Amino acid sequence: MSTALITGGTAGLGLEFARQLAADRHDLVLVARDAARLEEVAAQLRAATGVAVEVLPADLSVPDDVARVAARLAVVGGRPEDGDLRPVGLLVNNAGFATSSPFATGRVTTERRGIDVMVKAVVELTHAAVGQMLERDRGAILNVGSVAALTAGGTYAAAKAYVRTFTESLAAELKGTGVTATLLSPGFTHTEFHARAGIAESSIVPEWGWLQAEDVVRTALADARRGVVLSTPSVRYKVASAALRVMPRWAVRAVGSYR
């Protein structure tokens, strides 16, 4: 995994993935919407670690932008059309967002954009990456899901449930190929994720229920290196996930959103 491509790589878990992978001497391709922020983060990482950092501004709700990122992921290396670009050995599908509005009264355009970013783009980018990884007999896909996938928490939970099933299916298909697929299912984690959605962290769960981004990413990368399919950081969320899987669905619905 000498080169890693991270979507949503300038904030939250994506930024923490970039920092830890750069510290481990992996070159990076960072994907995000804000070109200025991308350049700023890339410059910081280059200065701090000396690794090569490509920037790829893209809005993953826009098909043409997704196609550009997919083209970068499809690079096998060594071909005239690839130029000096190196193949991506690790794809981290991290980009995503939540909203604070109920589905019935919220904007359908926002809901649709969430599905575009967290479902459609994940499928297309994974397909592009897996193709060249299989050709090279090595590589890893790390999809960022959520414990929310086990709840009834709106289209966000539905999108993460899709990613969970998709990743498990892909892992089974890839078994024995040298390419792996891992699903990261964190619980509540201290990032700007909830603030961007207009959700106050203090209104969700007590402080003891929150995880630190660096711990979540450290666990995820260790699990991806070992080919673990389901990565759930912390004992508390392993227990919560187990409980949600066995609870009656009426009880799960009563719990509501688990973002």
Side-chain angles (χ1 to χ4, degrees):
M1 299 191 296
S2 57
T3 299
L5 186 147
I6 306 164
T7 67
T10 60
L13 288 178
L15 179 56
E16 186 60 31
F17 273 112
R19 287 171 174 160
Q20 292 194 24
L21 285 164
D24 284 343
R25 311 301 300 163
H26 294 276
D27 292 336
L28 302 175
V29 183
L30 300 182
V31 178
R33 290 187 298 162
D34 188 333
R37 176 65 175 153
L38 272 172
E39 292 290 356
E40 179 185 349
V41 170
Q44 291 171 352
L45 291 170
R46 293 184 193 113
T49 66
V51 302
V53 184
E54 298 175 46
V55 296
L56 189 49
D59 182 339
L60 297 183
S61 67
V62 177
D64 286 348
D65 284 13
V66 175
R68 286 193 297 107
V69 181
R72 177 62 184 88
L73 286 165
V75 167
V76 176
R79 303 175 304 186
E81 61 267 33
D82 294 336
D84 294 330
L85 295 177
R86 299 177 64 185
V88 170
L90 170 65
L91 167 61
V92 181
N93 279 311
N94 165 76
F97 62 93
T99 66
S100 57
S101 302
F103 176 79
T105 56
R107 301 176 63 179
V108 72
T109 52
T110 302
E111 304 288 356
R112 183 169 61 240
R113 181 169 175 267
I115 293 168
D116 287 342
V117 172
M118 294 183 284
V119 175
K120 294 172 67 176
V122 168
V123 171
E124 186 164 343
L125 298 185
T126 299
H127 188 269
V130 165
Q132 59 87 357
M133 290 175 183
L134 287 173
E135 190 169 337
R136 297 185 303 111
D137 299 318
R138 62 187 181 277
I141 307 295
L142 177 52
N143 291 332
V144 177
S146 173
V147 172
L150 302 172
T151 74
T155 51
Y156 177 83
K160 294 303 184 181
Y162 181 98
V163 172
R164 181 185 181 94
T165 300
F166 168 65
T167 307
E168 288 193 86
S169 174
L170 180 63
E173 181 180 332
L174 294 173
K175 188 174 181 180
T177 65
V179 182
T180 62
T182 297
L183 176 77
L184 170 63
S185 295
F188 297 115
T189 305
H190 282 306
T191 65
E192 60 270 49
F193 178 83
H194 292 89
R196 288 185 172 189
I199 304 170
E201 288 187 356
S202 58
S203 69
I204 306 174
V205 294
E207 179 59 31
W208 59 260
W210 291 87
L211 304 176
Q212 300 299 322
E214 53 267 33
D215 297 330
V216 170
V217 169
R218 190 177 301 110
T219 298
L221 291 175
D223 285 344
R225 290 184 182 105
R226 294 187 296 117
V228 172
V229 177
L230 297 177
S231 175
T232 304
S234 89
V235 172
R236 80 199 78 160
Y237 284 109
K238 285 183 171 68
V239 172
S241 297
L244 285 165
R245 284 194 294 268
V246 299
M247 285 169 61
R249 291 308 295 178
W250 63 263
V252 173
R253 291 192 294 273
V255 170
S257 177
Y258 201 71
R259 295 171 183 172

